[in-house]
Amino acid sequence: MSGKEKKLQLLRSVTKSNVANKTSILVDASKYIKELKDKVEEAAAASSAADTDSSSSSSSGSAMAAATVRTYMSVSSVDLDNSNSSCRRGFRINVSMERTRPGLLVSVLEAFEDLGLDVLDADVSCADDTAFRLQALGSGQGQQQGGGSGSVDEQKVRQAVLQAISKCMNDDGDE
């Protein structure tokens, strides 16, 4: 058995494919990878929803509602400028949902405002009852490296955005 045949056989066994030809094995592998990606996104959304649930008992129903619609969210800290005198920090926020909800964008922007974050750049895609996508770069006043006890961190941003999403999910269910 050649090296290529061994690799295809290994790929076939990992993806639990029952086909014999190379093209079909690759198609099955592609489907398997997509399934894994979907599971990871669902787990990330459920984990984020669980974080929100543990931080506020009143949001337990909201967290469960957010988990029923495929939602992916990430928040990461970024350096906004690298001058020697100070290093301003900000956040890159990514939110993707398989379906938008009425008022979702407004709710998320209000969450940014409540945290004192200014939106420096944003790319938003949403339409009636289709996917929602937001990529934003935000900065808060006084967000210096190693900020004080009142400073906003990734976890606070993540929780605020999840609560905004949950609020819209609940408002949509009430109508």
Side-chain angles (χ1 to χ4, degrees):
M1 189 179 278
S2 73
K4 281 186 180 181
E5 290 172 334
K6 286 181 183 178
K7 288 179 183 177
L8 279 173
Q9 184 61 33
L10 179 61
L11 185 59
R12 188 174 163 214
S13 67
V14 167
T15 61
K16 298 177 178 81
S17 176
N18 295 321
V19 294
N21 71 32
K22 177 181 170 181
T23 303
S24 297
I25 292 171
L26 293 175
V27 168
D28 284 352
S30 175
K31 289 177 185 175
Y32 181 73
I33 290 169
K34 184 179 179 341
E35 289 172 9
L36 290 176
K37 181 182 169 207
D38 290 345
K39 286 179 182 179
V40 167
E41 288 174 355
E42 287 174 10
S47 173
S48 294
D51 288 345
T52 300
D53 187 35
S54 65
S55 70
S56 170
S57 61
S58 66
S59 68
S60 61
S62 303
M64 296 308 287
T68 60
V69 173
R70 256 192 209 139
T71 304
Y72 170 77
M73 188 183 73
S74 66
V75 176
S76 57
S77 295
V78 294
D79 290 329
L80 298 175
D81 56 46
N82 292 321
S83 64
N84 291 335
S85 60
S86 68
C87 182
R88 231 176 57 171
R89 304 284 296 165
F91 301 97
R92 181 161 310 282
I93 301 114
N94 293 299
V95 179
S96 294
M97 293 179 63
E98 67 182 356
R99 277 189 33 205
T100 191
R101 295 287 194 261
L104 180 59
L105 179 59
V106 171
S107 183
V108 171
L109 292 175
E110 286 174 346
F112 291 169
E113 185 178 339
D114 291 345
L115 291 172
L117 292 180
D118 294 323
V119 177
L120 304 176
D121 185 36
D123 181 19
V124 180
S125 172
C126 62
D128 291 341
D129 214 22
T130 61
F132 172 87
R133 186 178 61 83
L134 166 70
Q135 294 177 320
L137 181 63
S139 169
Q141 295 298 334
Q143 284 297 106
Q144 304 295 327
Q145 185 130 1
S149 62
S151 68
V152 177
D153 63 6
E154 290 176 32
Q155 185 64 27
K156 286 181 184 176
V157 174
R158 186 176 295 112
Q159 286 179 348
V161 172
L162 280 170
Q163 287 173 350
I165 292 170
S166 295
K167 176 184 168 204
C168 284
M169 301 287 281
N170 282 344
D171 289 349
D172 188 44
D174 293 342
E175 295 177 10

